[in-house]
Each structure stands twice: as structure tokens, then as C-alpha cells.
Amino acid sequence: DAGITQSPRHKVTETGTPVTLRCHQTENHRYMYWYRQDPGHGLRLIHYSYGVKDTDKGEVSDGYSVSRSKTEDFLLTLESATSSQTSVYFCAIKDPNTEAFFGQGTRLTVV
Amino acid sequence: DQQVKQNSPSLSVQEGRISILNCDYTNSMFDYFLWYKKYPAEGPTFLISISSIKDKNEDGRFTVFLNKSAKHLSLHIVPSQPGDSAVYFCAARGIQGAQKLVFGQGTRLTINP
């Protein structure tokens, strides 16, 4: 299995609070991604990174920000959580000649 | 604007028979296609892929077919086994960008004994 760890695995938070999810890799892969999985929508890209300090928006980036200060860590922050951000979040890593490897996911509930 | 579509939310197949999962895409710039499999409470895992220069790729019980003119790909599983019960996601990669993958909605496959 690819060395990718997401933390926390589960979190319940209140509307309006900030939340940070962490993705850590030990594979030294260049690309890192944050997806959310929702029924009927599959996996949708939130933000991605193509190098340290190099990030860009995906298709559902509103309400989310990311940071990558080190190759191994990619943080996803919900500045002010809303109920619509209740979801399962997956981090993925990739190199140019590999397929994407996914973490085990973080189940986030915003109440 | 759903660029990758899996129009069947679920599929039920008898053990030993063939499972066929379908996927359609709209963006002709996609150059690489993948299938991922997902069990509950786990992350998706890579299953099989195909380049746009091919029309078929086979790996054991799994075969992916690509019809570029129809913008359609399918995954065939023969013979189907109970352990194949999972959600299957189709994904496509564009030529541009940081090798981003665009996923379909997923199809839940259930293999019945």
C-alpha cells in the first residue's frame, strides 16, 4: 500500500468553526489532491498541489483552502464549516508515471 | 457539467456471470482512463487503466474497452466473484493540468451467490 495517511479519520464539528484535515505521504510523490465523495456525485476535486507551495483550485473549491509547505503534507482547511461540507474527504497522491493512490478517507460531519 | 458519467447507480449480477460497467465522457481531450474500486470505509484503489491510443486492455478477470468515437468505455469482469461487490468509479485524465482525474458518480456492483 502507498504510504498515505489522513487525519483525523472522523470528526464532528459545529457550523461556523474552522476545521483542518491533514494528508501525509511517505512516497515523495509530486502531486497531491483533495477530493470529496458525496452520494450521486462520485469523487469531486476540491484542490490539488503540483509541488511545494504550488496549489490550484478544483471543481468544488468554494469554502476550502489548502497549503503545502512540505512535500509530504497537504492540508485542507474549511475556514467556517457549513452543513453542506458534511462529506467524506479523500486525499490522493500521484507521480507522473503512476496511478493515483488514495488515503482511507476522513468522515466529516458538520452539525 | 458532468464530464464523466456513470448512468447506472447500481448493478446486480449472479456469481460466475459477466459484470459489465459502463462509463461515458464528454471531453475529447481526455487521454487516459482508469477504473477504481471502493469498499466501504476504505479509499478507492486502482483497478485497471487504458490509454486513448488503445481500444482494449486486459488484466486477469478484468478487461476495459474504449470506444473513442462513442466516447464510451466499459469494464468487464469475468467471472464475477462475491469479492467484486464494491463501488466502481470510472475516471479520466486530461492532457492539460496537473494530471487531474475527473471521476464519474460510481456504480455499486453486487454479486449474488
Side-chain angles (χ1 to χ4, degrees):
Chain A
D1 291 344
I4 177 169
T5 305
Q6 291 185 231
S7 59
R9 293 293 313 279
H10 302 271
K11 185 169 182 67
V12 179
T13 191
E14 292 186 351
T15 299
T17 60
V19 176
T20 295
L21 309 183
R22 180 182 185 234
C23 179
H24 178 77
Q25 64 151 326
T26 57
E27 305 296 322
N28 201 36
H29 281 359
R30 176 183 176 186
Y31 302 104
M32 298 186 76
Y33 311 85
W34 277 107
Y35 287 89
R36 60 178 289 174
Q37 184 195 3
D38 303 288
H41 293 280
L43 293 158
R44 292 181 292 175
L45 183 63
I46 305 170
H47 280 281
Y48 63 96
S49 170
Y50 45 95
V52 174
K53 293 188 180 0
D54 292 324
T55 65
D56 206 346
K57 296 178 181 180
E59 57 185 308
V60 290
S61 59
D62 287 349
Y64 302 94
S65 63
V66 290
S67 66
R68 191 172 180 195
S69 58
K70 300 183 290 185
T71 299
E72 57 266 34
D73 289 325
F74 192 34
L75 303 180
L76 176 70
T77 297
L78 291 65
E79 302 292 344
S80 177
T82 68
S83 59
S84 65
Q85 293 176 312
T86 292
S87 186
V88 181
Y89 291 84
F90 288 100
C91 175
I93 62 175
K94 189 182 186 310
D95 256 359
N97 295 319
T98 70
E99 68 271 17
F101 298 96
F102 283 82
Q104 291 194 299
T106 295
R107 182 174 294 275
L108 176 68
T109 303
V110 183
V111 297
Chain B
D1 180 21
Q2 189 81 29
Q3 296 186 71
V4 178
K5 297 181 182 180
Q6 294 176 256
N7 292 316
S8 297
S10 62
L11 177 67
S12 185
V13 175
Q14 192 171 0
E15 182 179 0
R17 306 295 291 269
I18 183 172
S19 295
I20 299 176
L21 295 91
N22 294 302
C23 178
D24 297 297
Y25 62 96
T26 57
N27 190 340
S28 59
M29 298 300 287
F30 288 142
D31 69 336
Y32 198 71
F33 302 89
L34 308 91
W35 284 94
Y36 279 79
K37 176 179 180 179
K38 185 184 180 304
Y39 292 119
E42 295 184 10
T45 56
F46 170 74
L47 188 57
I48 192 169
S49 62
I50 187 167
S51 166
S52 60
I53 63 174
K54 295 186 176 181
D55 55 18
K56 177 183 175 181
N57 188 29
E58 190 173 354
D59 183 2
R61 297 187 297 114
F62 303 91
T63 303
V64 56
F65 296 91
L66 175 62
N67 182 334
K68 288 190 294 292
S69 61
K71 293 189 176 69
H72 177 84
L73 66 156
S74 61
L75 174 68
H76 292 211
I77 306 173
V78 181
S80 300
Q81 299 174 354
D84 296 329
S85 294
V87 176
Y88 289 79
F89 290 101
C90 168
R93 187 190 73 188
I95 296 173
Q96 300 171 341
Q99 306 207 352
K100 294 181 291 183
L101 294 179
V102 180
F103 284 83
Q105 304 96 314
T107 296
R108 181 178 300 279
L109 175 66
T110 302
I111 306 302
N112 302 307

